[in-house]
Amino acid sequence: MMKRILIVVVAFILSSCAYSFIGQGGRIKGDIKSIYIENVVNETSQPDLQVYLKRDLIDVLNLDSRVSLAKSKDLADGFLKVSIVKYDVNPISYAESGLAIRYRCAISANVSLIDSKGKKIISSMVVSDFEDYSASDSVSATEMARDKISKDVLKSLAEKIRDSLFVGF
């Protein structure tokens, strides 16, 4: 009798759900294992966004064990093309005086993933992110806040782009 109970308990434990990290079992669409990131194109008038986004993409993909970064297109199973297509900073809240006190920074990018044979795995997918920030009376403080928020939005955008590359994430 005791053996049967033990067998049932062991069977129950073995059949129960195991702990796992979200997204760890995914793979890049098209079974791509190594990826090359092309230079990011900046189609906006805001300077240097492409530099920060490419750096952030490299950082987030380097930390992901599901994919490796290739040093050249020839060594990659696929390549990632990203164009920053929208950069907006707009007021979203005003003080009684009529001056803006909160702004929203929104950035959108067009993403394509192409395999080494030229087949488009992801074709022109738009990924967007935004963040709100408070403005101060000082113009320089407001500009510094906008620059910091822009970089924060780009980092978050890079993470969203990474997540969009994986099946089953």
Side-chain angles (χ1 to χ4, degrees):
M1 180 68 172
M2 194 58 122
K3 270 188 177 179
R4 287 187 180 159
I5 293 173
L6 183 61
I7 290 172
V8 170
V9 169
V10 170
F12 177 74
I13 290 171
L14 291 176
S15 67
S16 64
C17 295
Y19 178 81
S20 66
F21 293 103
I22 296 173
Q24 292 298 314
R27 65 188 189 290
I28 287 188
K29 295 173 181 174
D31 288 326
I32 293 172
K33 294 173 183 64
S34 64
I35 193 167
Y36 176 76
I37 303 170
E38 290 191 353
N39 286 332
V40 175
V41 175
N42 184 0
E43 297 178 11
T44 73
S45 60
Q46 185 68 22
D48 300 329
L49 295 177
Q50 74 280 7
V51 175
Y52 297 115
L53 183 56
K54 182 164 183 181
R55 183 200 62 210
D56 290 338
L57 283 167
I58 289 169
D59 289 347
V60 298
L61 288 171
N62 265 334
L63 292 174
D64 198 305
S65 62
R66 299 172 289 179
V67 66
S68 65
L69 292 179
K71 296 196 185 283
S72 75
K73 219 180 209 183
D74 300 336
L75 301 172
D77 297 328
F79 57 97
L80 184 65
K81 293 176 119 180
V82 179
S83 297
I84 301 169
V85 294
K86 181 180 162 193
Y87 175 86
D88 286 326
V89 175
N90 295 310
I92 57 170
S93 181
Y94 297 89
E96 288 180 21
S97 65
L99 295 174
I101 56 173
R102 287 196 57 79
Y103 289 86
R104 174 166 291 161
C105 176
I107 303 174
S108 297
N110 192 357
V111 178
S112 296
L113 178 65
I114 296 126
D115 71 11
S116 60
K117 296 176 181 115
K119 179 183 175 193
K120 287 191 176 183
I121 308 299
I122 297 173
S123 180
S124 300
M125 175 180 60
V126 177
V127 180
S128 301
D129 202 15
F130 70 89
E131 194 163 323
D132 299 340
Y133 68 97
S134 296
S136 69
D137 295 336
S138 165
V139 172
S140 64
T142 301
E143 287 298 314
M144 285 174 38
R146 182 172 79 175
D147 288 345
K148 183 199 177 306
I149 293 301
S150 296
K151 290 175 185 170
D152 291 347
V153 174
L154 288 169
K155 182 172 175 84
S156 179
L157 189 64
E159 292 168 351
K160 283 186 170 184
I161 290 170
R162 177 210 50 212
D163 293 347
S164 70
L165 299 177
F166 289 93
V167 176
F169 184 80

